[in-house]
Amino acid sequence: MNENYPELQGKTAIVTGASSGIGRATARLLAENGVRVGLVSRSQDLLDELSRTLPGSQAFPADMTKVPQIKRMVSRAKNYFGRIDILVNNAGQGYDAPVEKTETGTFRYIYDLNVIGPLVAMQQVISVMRAQGGGTIINISSGTALMHLPGMSAYSSSKRALAGISLAARQELAADRIVVSVVYPYITLTNFEKNTIRAVPVPEDKQEPTGPYPLDSAEFVAGKIAGGIVSGEAEIFSHDWMKERRPF
């Protein structure tokens, strides 16, 4: 990666969903710019492998659907690094199902992972950042939050909820110099589609992501995230055309 963000040098960050995809690319980009990164996912082995390649990083495994684990993770990161300057709430999973076939238990799981987990992580870092005199929270939503897409109501509504929480928190925390931003990625070349829960099975050879525009790399989105940390913009869109797609 060639992006340079000297403003990030010496800061500390927590990145959830860091073992693959956008989270992994973001953790790597931040580390390359002198950030000490707390790596979070459920897989200790994958985090340890990544940590060995990123100077100053440390693995803090946690299931982002489990509130006690999230609280423990943030506490461990704070104790290890001494401070938390940046939180990147990236962990999430897709769920494709028409409204008629949306299973409520699965929807609750997706909501716990995509909304409640990030909310709890935010709540835990707010007091830390307030005591430090400020910080940055970046929540990764989805381009689907800006659209009405058949078969994606559960997932897109969870990401729209996360965007709403983010923008409200931005106003609530402005006086504490805590900047909250939301990122809307476009379709990205990761394992997201393969890991998506589907009400109707899709053949494995049909699970590759496709879209009307060229797909983005995880590194491209990581650059948007790092740029958003530096700029402090409220909403960061992977592409300008996405701004015209919002349904609200």
Side-chain angles (χ1 to χ4, degrees):
M1 299 179 195
N2 297 318
E3 294 99 334
N4 292 313
Y5 302 95
E7 302 93 336
L8 300 179
Q9 182 72 36
K11 294 188 179 296
T12 65
I14 292 173
V15 178
T16 72
S19 61
S20 64
I22 292 171
R24 184 183 181 92
T26 300
R28 188 173 298 282
L29 180 57
L30 294 180
E32 289 174 354
N33 281 274
V35 179
R36 296 178 295 159
V37 185
L39 307 168
V40 182
S41 79
R42 290 177 297 181
S43 174
Q44 176 83 57
D45 290 344
L46 290 176
L47 294 182
D48 287 343
E49 178 185 350
L50 178 59
S51 181
R52 286 192 288 269
T53 71
L54 303 181
S57 66
Q58 179 66 26
F60 300 107
D63 183 333
M64 291 300 291
T65 68
K66 308 296 184 185
V67 171
Q69 291 190 32
I70 299 169
K71 292 181 176 180
R72 180 171 179 268
M73 174 272 291
V74 174
S75 177
R76 289 183 63 204
K78 167 61 168 61
N79 290 337
Y80 183 85
F81 291 123
R83 60 186 293 118
I84 300 170
D85 299 300
I86 302 161
L87 168 66
V88 179
N89 269 319
N90 167 74
Q93 188 171 9
Y95 178 31
D96 290 357
V99 170
E100 183 181 10
K101 295 185 178 296
T102 297
E103 203 282 314
T104 56
T106 303
F107 190 18
R108 288 192 183 98
Y109 167 77
I110 290 297
Y111 204 86
D112 281 344
L113 178 59
N114 293 356
V115 184
I116 304 300
L119 172 63
V120 173
M122 289 174 67
Q123 291 172 334
Q124 297 307 299
V125 302
I126 285 169
S127 60
V128 175
M129 291 179 175
R130 182 180 288 126
Q132 295 168 176
T136 300
I137 297 171
I138 300 279
N139 290 329
I140 311 305
S141 180
S142 165
T144 65
L146 309 172
M147 310 170 192
H148 297 143
L149 297 175
M152 300 191 70
S153 60
Y155 174 70
S156 66
S157 65
S158 73
K159 289 301 189 176
R160 197 175 300 174
L162 181 60
I165 290 170
S166 304
L167 297 175
R170 181 181 178 88
Q171 296 185 54
E172 294 170 357
L173 300 171
D176 296 306
R177 299 181 64 189
I178 299 173
V179 179
V180 184
S181 302
V182 57
V183 177
Y184 303 100
Y186 177 57
I187 303 171
T188 310
L189 289 165
T190 67
N191 288 326
F192 181 84
E193 288 295 326
K194 291 182 179 179
N195 294 328
T196 291
I197 301 169
R198 302 176 192 277
V200 180
V202 176
E204 190 170 336
D205 62 349
K206 301 293 186 183
Q207 293 181 17
E208 291 299 321
T210 60
Y213 301 96
L215 275 54
D216 294 327
S217 68
E219 290 75 18
F220 174 83
V221 181
K224 292 289 183 178
I225 293 168
I229 295 170
V230 173
S231 71
E233 292 178 89
E235 296 180 284
I236 298 104
F237 301 83
S238 286
H239 304 280
D240 286 343
W241 59 260
M242 297 173 71
K243 300 175 184 178
E244 308 302 322
R245 296 299 183 95
R246 57 169 68 250
F248 49 87

